[in-house]
């Protein structure tokens, strides 16, 4: 609550604190307010636990995760499921976010994620970040907005993924997941988008 603007009871009627701004210098694309409100339902963590159990994950298994600044509530649901099942998460995130996502300059998803880890709530933090948005490279964002996204990766000590083709982005992520897994098999991939 101290890090973000006051909670707006009109856009965030459940006062989750996970509904961002309609727009800001770091808003990368259009987003739906109703989708963001729906994503703040804490039952999504239970759904993820059920899905992970259905595919047979076991304690200490390794799961790769693609986080999006557009859905901070779903990111927290994933972190909650990983924590509840005692799984090792390897995450890569975007610093940018769509409307109503983690788009508050100075308090983007990597900042939220780091705060949650610092407070001891979760032990999974992203190892790398892209800018997010169109083509995963914040197409259309101002130079000032791009700098804010880059600074978020830097202050949270995240490897900044280079911009390139979709194929290059996928290859780079796969290599990072494998490197972070350090020989452990990755049993599942969760993509928040």
């Amino acid at each position: 609550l101290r890090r973000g603007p006051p909670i707006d009871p009109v856009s965030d009627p459940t006062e989750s604190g996970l509904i961002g701004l309609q727009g800001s210098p770091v808003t990368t694309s259009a987003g739906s307010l109703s989708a963001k409100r729906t994503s703040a339902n804490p039952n999504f963590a239970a759904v993820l636990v059920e899905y992970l159990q259905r595919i047979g994950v076991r304690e200490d298994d390794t799961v790769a995760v693609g986080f999006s600044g557009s859905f901070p509530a779903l990111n927290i649901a994933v972190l909650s499921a990983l924590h509840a099942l005692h799984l090792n998460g390897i995450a890569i995130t975007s610093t940018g976010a769509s409307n109503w996502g983690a788009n508050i300059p100075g308090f983007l998803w990597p900042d939220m994620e780091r705060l949650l880890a610092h407070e001891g709530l979760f032990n999974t933090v992203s190892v790398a970040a892209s800018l997010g948005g169109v083509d995963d490279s914040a197409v259309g964002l101002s130079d000032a907005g791009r700098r804010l996204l880059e600074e978020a990766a830097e202050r949270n000590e995240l490897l900044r993924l280079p911009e390139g083709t979709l194929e290059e982005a996928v290859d780079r992520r796969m290599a990072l997941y494998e490197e972070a897994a350090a020989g452990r098999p990755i049993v599942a991939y969760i993509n928040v988008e």
Side-chain angles (χ1 to χ4, degrees), residues 11 18-22 27 29-40 70-71 97-101:
S11 60
L18 297 171
I19 307 298
L21 305 171
Q22 182 174 10
T27 302
S29 54
S32 162
L33 179 56
S34 63
K36 305 307 168 81
R37 287 177 178 156
T38 300
S39 75
S70 295
F71 286 96
S98 60
N99 304 100
W100 310 109

Side-chain angles (χ1 to χ4, degrees), residues 28-141:
T28 56
S29 54
S32 162
L33 179 56
S34 63
K36 305 307 168 81
R37 287 177 178 156
T38 300
S39 75
N41 185 328
N43 289 330
F44 278 114
V47 170
L48 287 166
V49 166
E50 182 177 334
Y51 285 168
L52 288 165
Q53 288 175 327
R54 277 188 200 174
I55 64 169
V57 297
R58 295 189 190 119
E59 187 171 324
D60 290 324
D61 276 349
T62 299
V63 176
V65 180
F67 282 136
S68 168
S70 295
F71 286 96
L74 290 179
N75 295 345
I76 292 171
V78 170
L79 290 170
S80 298
L82 296 176
H83 181 76
L85 295 173
H86 306 284
L87 301 172
N88 301 306
I90 302 169
I92 298 174
T93 193
S94 65
T95 53
S98 60
N99 304 100
W100 310 109
N103 63 348
I104 299 166
F107 197 50
L108 305 177
W109 170 249
D111 303 307
M112 294 178 185
E113 180 185 70
R114 191 69 56 170
L115 179 63
L116 292 167
H118 181 266
E119 294 297 322
L121 296 172
F122 304 113
N123 61 4
T124 298
V125 292
S126 294
V127 296
S130 69
L131 295 179
V134 177
D135 292 335
D136 211 20
S137 57
V139 170
L141 221 56

